[in-house]
């Protein structure tokens, strides 16, 4: 396969950057076999309705259905491995840290694959599907007695347990969100990788970075609302583009 020639200006910006931030979405895990939400044919939201599965109202209405849908996804992501896009982002972090620079990975994904790939400075905006918390009290719960009920019950209060993910209509974890805004504001280069850019507030992070004067780079095989505003649009699968970019810039 031929190496794509990256614009020399982009390589230059990355070599000089003191602070790099990356926002990822479901597309970064697509090559691991995790379905995205909005891709034609394969996207989860083509098969399921978000209002039936990913809202607090849906959980109140049918907690068993919602718990089981997340249990299915939890098993799915437990069974897959990080792909070269995840690995390249972990390598980007190592390369920057080695040079005393800062790297922040902001993800909308709940699949834990960035962590598995070895990234360390990760902000999880939408939670993590491997964690469970009490629906009533919000407290994280590590284990619970098996009463045969679905969903299981909180060992402290007896309320239902739910996945520690952010549903539509819910607030994002405040600390994570603040850290993400800060990273977008201070970076010199901001990447938006594998996200359709349709869900707020994550969709506004690249805009904040643009307004603060950062170079914005999009990595996505498809066009998104961000594409016309990005300084560089690298069109293709993240698992191909990112490893080649990291190699071109730092190795
Ligand atoms: N490499 C890079 N991008 C890809 C790849 C790939 N191999 N395959 C698909 N994509 C792109 C698609 O073109 C699309 O723009 O990934 C994007 C996936 O978009 P969505 O399915 O909308 O996922 P995301 O942007 O992460 O959704 C945001 O919506 O349902 C909620 O909470 C959920 O975090 C999620 C949020």
């Amino acid at each position: 396969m031929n190496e794509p020639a990256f614009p020399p200006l982009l390589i230059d910006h990355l070599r000089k950057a003191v602070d790099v931030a990356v926002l990822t979405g479901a597309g970064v895990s697509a090559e691991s076999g995790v379905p995205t939400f909005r891709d034609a044919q394969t996207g989860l939201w083509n098969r399921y309705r978000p209002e039936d599965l990913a809202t607090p109202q849906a959980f109140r209405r049918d907690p068993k259905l919602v718990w089981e849908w997340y249990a299915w996804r939890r098993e799915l992501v437990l069974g897959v491995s990080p792909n070269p896009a995840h690995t390249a982002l972990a390598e980007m972090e190592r390369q920057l840290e080695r040079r005393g620079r800062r790297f922040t990975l902001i993800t909308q994904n709940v699949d834990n694959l960035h962590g598995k790939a070895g990234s360390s400075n990760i902000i999880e905006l939408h939670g993590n599907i491997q964690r469970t918390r009490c629906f009533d009290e919000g407290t994280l719960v590590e284990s619970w007695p098996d009463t045969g009920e679905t969903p299981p019950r909180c060992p402290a209060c007896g309320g239902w347990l739910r996945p520690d993910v952010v549903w539509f209509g819910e607030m994002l974890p405040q600390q994570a969100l603040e850290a993400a805004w800060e990273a977008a504001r201070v970076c010199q280069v901001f990447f938006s990788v594998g996200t359709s850019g349709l869900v707020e507030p994550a969709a506004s992070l690249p805009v904040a970075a643009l307004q603060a004067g950062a170079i914005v780079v999009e990595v996505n095989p498809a066009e998104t609302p961000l594409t016309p505003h990005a300084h560089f649009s690298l069109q293709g699968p993240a698992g191909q583009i990112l490893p080649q970019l990291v190699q071109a810039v730092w190795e």
Side-chain angles (χ1 to χ4, degrees), residues 147-159:
T147 60
E149 278 178 290
T150 310
R153 297 273 175 183
C154 171
C157 76

Side-chain angles (χ1 to χ4, degrees), residues 63-177:
K64 184 170 187 290
L65 175 81
V66 173
W67 178 270
E68 285 177 344
W69 190 68
Y70 278 93
W72 166 68
R73 286 181 52 208
R74 187 161 56 237
E75 287 305 308
L76 192 155
V77 302
L78 268 180
V80 303
S81 304
N83 69 59
H86 299 106
T87 314
L89 290 171
E91 180 60 21
M92 196 187 282
E93 179 171 23
R94 274 192 293 274
Q95 293 288 347
L96 285 161
E97 294 222 316
R98 189 175 297 164
R99 291 166 175 80
R101 321 279 169 92
R102 216 167 69 130
F103 174 88
T104 309
L105 182 53
I106 308 159
T107 189
Q108 298 166 87
N109 299 344
V110 297
D111 59 25
N112 218 20
L113 290 177
H114 286 304
K116 268 197 197 171
S119 287
S120 58
N121 192 18
I122 309 172
I123 299 172
E124 290 176 328
L125 280 184
H126 293 171
N128 189 314
I129 202 169
Q130 305 302 344
R131 287 193 306 258
T132 300
R133 63 180 153 99
C134 176
F135 182 66
D136 294 327
E137 297 168 326
T139 41
L140 288 176
V141 172
E142 299 265 327
S143 61
W144 48 88
D146 182 9
T147 60
E149 278 178 290
T150 310
R153 297 273 175 183
C154 171
C157 76
W160 286 321
L161 293 179
R162 58 164 287 176
D164 186 25
V165 300
V166 177
W167 284 329
F168 290 103
E170 292 187 314
M171 303 286 283
L172 275 64
Q174 198 188 338
Q175 242 189 328
L177 189 57

Side-chain angles (χ1 to χ4, degrees), residues 24-28 30-31 36-39 43 45 108-110 126 166 168 193-199 219-224 236-239:
T24 65
V28 84
E31 290 156 84
T36 63
F37 294 95
R38 294 174 186 79
D39 277 293
W45 295 150
Q108 298 166 87
N109 299 344
V110 297
H126 293 171
V166 177
F168 290 103
V193 182
T195 175
S196 58
L198 296 173
V199 175
V219 181
N220 199 315
E223 289 211 0
T224 75

